[in-house]
Amino acid sequence: MKQLILCVVLFLMAHSAILAQNENSEKLNWWGDIEGFMNQQDKITLGLVEEALSKYPPSYEEPLERRMAMLMLDGVLHERLAAFRPSVQDFLRKRIALAIKELQQTDVGKGAMIWKLYNHGFIVRTASVTFGFDLVRAHSAKADGFLIDNKSMAMMIDQCDALFISHRHRDHADLWVAQSFLDQGKPVVAAPEVWKDESIHKKITHLERVSNKIHALKIQKGKQQLKVINNPGHQGSDIENNVPLVFTPEGMSFAQTGDQSGPMGDWDWIDTIGAQNPVDVLFPNCWTPDIHRMIEGFQPQLVITGHENEMGHTIDHRESNWLTYTRLKGSLTPFLVLAWGESYHYVPK
Ligand SMILES: [Zn+2]
């Protein structure tokens, strides 16, 4: 009898050890834990997304695997609680870490390296200059843990010479980021109404908002300069939204549109800007009301969209990669859809 009890005890101990091991390595049953299940499902999905993105980087001819990865990303990020899930937060961290590593290790010869960051944030680097558009730490998502931490953002700022902020909304303008640029003696260009009641306002560069004037913006403590046309855009009828067209010393040019969705009058400059100036790359907000007309106006060599999957927006206006593909269907201008942290080496024709 004693031997039998000993056997049963030993069996139970071994069994629970196996269960514990499974729990640590791979939990195989999530009954009663819906959030745990969803987090795990996102983790597995995002792991596969990362694998596909690294195997199939951005290219004009997009293989099915990459397109599927971009749509899987939409699926995960359009879950109502996505930004609160540790697996999604990890994904953002990893994607940004990847961009930081590349930024620290990349010297550009010909053309420009372009990094897409969170929401409508981009960093452009040529042989001589590096500048950012709408760099934010993702606080607009209002989810604890879903953020680009200060240390990571500081590492990106270290790599840049200047920052352009389109307009005042939190998914584009981050005061801590702007102050960090200024603290390093690097210019921040923004629309006049950005932080107009804060002390930072007088340190910000407010270029005249007109489409027929080229401003010189000194960077690298005066050693280099960018030329900028600060187009007078708007979000809706009255929110000032700068649409800078930035010319690098190499003669390439890049325009980011912020939340351009202005009144009909804005088409006056949009329709003609590309006829008057060569544009290499346009970074439009994917949801702008008439993206084809915008592209026709700018006549860029390449379009790279932004503003997909802004987690602070409700599901219906969070935008998505699949919707960008749909909206840009039939575009005669080549376009690329990038995930957070991805880069593309643009070489002009
Ligand atoms: Zn926005």
Side-chain angles (χ1 to χ4, degrees):
M1 188 63 187
K2 266 186 194 167
Q3 274 180 336
L4 182 65
I5 290 170
L6 190 64
C7 279
V8 170
V9 168
L10 284 174
F11 171 79
L12 286 174
M13 279 169 67
H15 185 66
S16 60
I18 288 165
L19 273 183
Q21 198 189 352
N22 271 342
E23 202 140 29
N24 290 336
S25 54
E26 204 173 354
K27 190 171 160 182
L28 300 175
N29 192 317
W30 297 85
W31 294 357
D33 182 8
I34 292 174
E35 249 321 296
F37 173 91
M38 290 305 292
N39 184 61
Q40 184 67 6
Q41 178 167 288
D42 288 354
K43 184 179 161 188
I44 300 293
T45 307
L46 292 171
L48 205 57
V49 166
E50 285 198 293
E51 214 179 309
L53 294 182
S54 79
K55 200 167 170 190
Y56 304 102
S59 66
Y60 293 160
E61 294 296 324
E62 212 174 42
L64 182 65
E65 289 91 336
R66 182 179 166 85
R67 182 71 61 106
M68 287 171 75
M70 295 304 279
L71 267 63
M72 281 161 71
L73 207 45
D74 291 335
V76 169
L77 298 180
H78 274 67
E79 271 287 334
R80 203 168 49 85
L81 295 174
F84 295 88
R85 298 208 170 106
S87 56
V88 174
Q89 297 171 355
D90 268 358
F91 177 74
L92 175 66
R93 263 193 294 278
K94 277 197 263 177
R95 300 306 307 172
I96 297 302
L98 192 72
I100 293 170
K101 194 170 159 207
E102 278 188 16
L103 270 161
Q104 290 171 338
Q105 295 175 351
T106 304
D107 282 324
V108 180
K110 222 173 160 214
M113 276 297 287
I114 294 162
W115 285 268
K116 182 176 183 175
L117 302 157
Y118 181 68
N119 190 33
H120 209 169
F122 287 94
I123 291 178
V124 177
R125 170 171 290 168
T126 67
S128 65
V129 296
T130 305
F131 50 95
F133 294 105
D134 286 353
L135 301 181
V136 293
R137 292 168 297 159
H139 285 97
S140 52
K142 296 193 195 100
D144 281 346
F146 182 87
L147 84 169
I148 299 166
D149 62 79
N150 292 1
K151 200 173 151 213
S152 301
M153 183 51 87
M155 286 193 269
M156 286 193 272
I157 294 168
D158 287 346
Q159 295 293 318
C160 294
D161 300 319
L163 173 67
F164 296 88
I165 300 173
S166 60
H167 68 296
R168 60 181 161 85
H169 288 149
R170 278 163 62 94
D171 52 333
H172 299 258
D174 183 329
L175 200 137
W176 184 89
V177 173
Q179 188 61 56
S180 303
F181 269 86
L182 294 171
D183 290 346
Q184 293 190 15
K186 297 170 177 176
V188 174
V189 179
E193 66 179 22
V194 179
W195 303 309
K196 66 176 187 301
D197 299 322
E198 310 276 344
S199 59
I200 196 173
H201 191 261
K202 57 181 183 299
K203 305 240 175 70
I204 288 178
T205 305
H206 300 111
L207 303 175
E208 192 184 350
R209 285 166 38 85
V210 286
S211 59
N212 58 359
K213 185 169 177 177
I214 298 177
H215 304 274
L217 182 72
K218 283 195 170 27
I219 55 168
Q220 298 173 13
K221 308 211 184 295
K223 275 185 258 157
Q224 283 288 5
Q225 68 172 20
L226 297 170
K227 291 192 172 135
V228 185
I229 295 178
N230 195 30
N231 293 294
H234 297 85
Q235 177 173 14
S237 56
D238 55 3
I239 296 174
E240 290 168 347
N241 180 72
N242 281 359
V243 180
L245 173 60
V246 182
F247 298 88
T248 73
E250 294 80 11
M252 283 177 283
S253 63
F254 302 85
Q256 192 259 24
T257 63
D259 277 354
Q260 180 59 37
S261 50
M264 288 313 284
D266 279 6
W267 289 108
D268 292 348
W269 60 264
I270 297 173
D271 286 341
T272 54
I273 187 81
Q276 288 157 10
N277 306 277
V279 178
D280 283 281
V281 184
L282 175 67
F283 305 109
N285 42 325
C286 61
W287 55 266
T288 197
D290 190 343
I291 199 163
H292 289 280
R293 182 169 172 184
M294 181 186 263
I295 293 169
E296 264 172 51
F298 277 87
Q299 300 177 25
Q301 296 298 312
L302 169 64
V303 170
I304 301 179
T305 57
H307 221 305
E308 290 90 355
N309 292 313
E310 205 292 292
M311 305 302 284
H313 286 51
T314 51
I315 302 287
D316 54 326
H317 182 25
R318 189 165 293 177
E319 309 308 325
S320 54
N321 299 316
W322 66 262
L323 204 40
T324 295
Y325 292 120
T326 308
R327 285 165 171 155
L328 283 174
K329 212 171 176 180
S331 169
L332 298 175
T333 307
F335 69 90
L336 295 170
V337 189
L338 270 57
W340 300 331
E342 275 197 307
S343 60
Y344 183 74
H345 185 200
Y346 166 76
V347 180
K349 274 184 205 150

